[in-house]
Amino acid sequence: LHPGLLDRRGLVALWREGLLAQEVLRGLTRGYRHHPQLARFQALRGPVSALSAYLHVVQAEAEGRGYRFDRSRLARPRADVLIPVNAGQLAFEWRHLLAKVRLRDPVWYEALASLPRPLAHPLFEVVPGEVEAWEKDKAAFPERARRR
């Protein structure tokens, strides 16, 4: 999802998790190595620089909101990265975000709920397809759990 769709808590959490993922991809930590979202970056040429490009967009969104996310913590980004994301995965993540935000920030939820469809992060190209095979949250997507 585009980081502009995230509420304050979601944006901060994405930044923190992204920095940790960057350390994992650099081989500097043992925790978090099997997080399913890492698969999309591990499949790319130059996964650290691709993740850094992703996080630069997150940092710019935060800066636009007046937050100070330290850009110096990021690796050098790739300029040519474009990451495919299945339309089903984007829809899944959208429903997941709406469910979380509905509880923790009703005002933000009302603004999101009025959108006709979610925007993808600018580094992602939406392609036809279902929820990714690595997605683990079966309870939030019962149709996928039934197919297994």
Side-chain angles (χ1 to χ4, degrees):
L1 296 172
H2 192 288
L5 298 173
L6 302 177
D7 61 323
R8 179 190 57 80
R9 285 179 57 190
L11 189 64
V12 170
L14 176 59
W15 178 251
R16 288 181 179 158
E17 289 178 9
L19 291 176
L20 178 57
Q22 181 179 253
E23 296 304 296
V24 170
L25 293 174
R26 287 176 162 169
L28 300 176
T29 185
R30 291 176 42 174
Y32 202 73
R33 291 181 306 183
H34 303 291
H35 191 284
Q37 292 276 5
L38 281 175
R40 66 172 37 139
F41 291 98
Q42 290 167 327
L44 300 171
R45 177 182 55 84
V48 174
S49 59
L51 179 61
S52 179
Y54 174 87
L55 288 173
H56 271 81
V57 175
V58 174
Q59 190 276 334
E61 173 65 30
E63 187 175 284
R65 295 189 196 186
Y67 304 135
R68 289 187 277 173
F69 289 8
D70 185 2
R71 185 181 294 237
S72 72
R73 298 184 67 187
L74 301 178
R76 185 174 180 172
R78 271 181 58 192
D80 65 339
V81 66
L82 188 61
I83 305 167
V85 62
N86 289 347
Q89 182 68 27
L90 186 67
F92 171 81
E93 292 181 13
W94 178 238
R95 287 191 304 270
H96 187 70
L97 175 65
L98 287 174
K100 284 185 166 186
V101 172
R102 185 176 188 188
L103 296 174
R104 70 183 179 212
D105 191 338
V107 173
W108 193 268
Y109 171 79
E110 289 301 322
L112 291 181
S114 70
L115 297 176
R117 65 181 177 275
L119 294 173
H121 185 289
L123 269 58
F124 284 76
E125 175 184 28
V126 181
V127 298
E130 297 185 23
V131 175
E132 298 286 353
W134 44 254
E135 189 62 64
K136 294 183 181 208
D137 193 356
K138 313 284 188 294
F141 201 81
E143 305 87 33
R144 185 170 184 274
R146 281 195 297 267
R147 283 183 288 166
R148 291 192 168 235

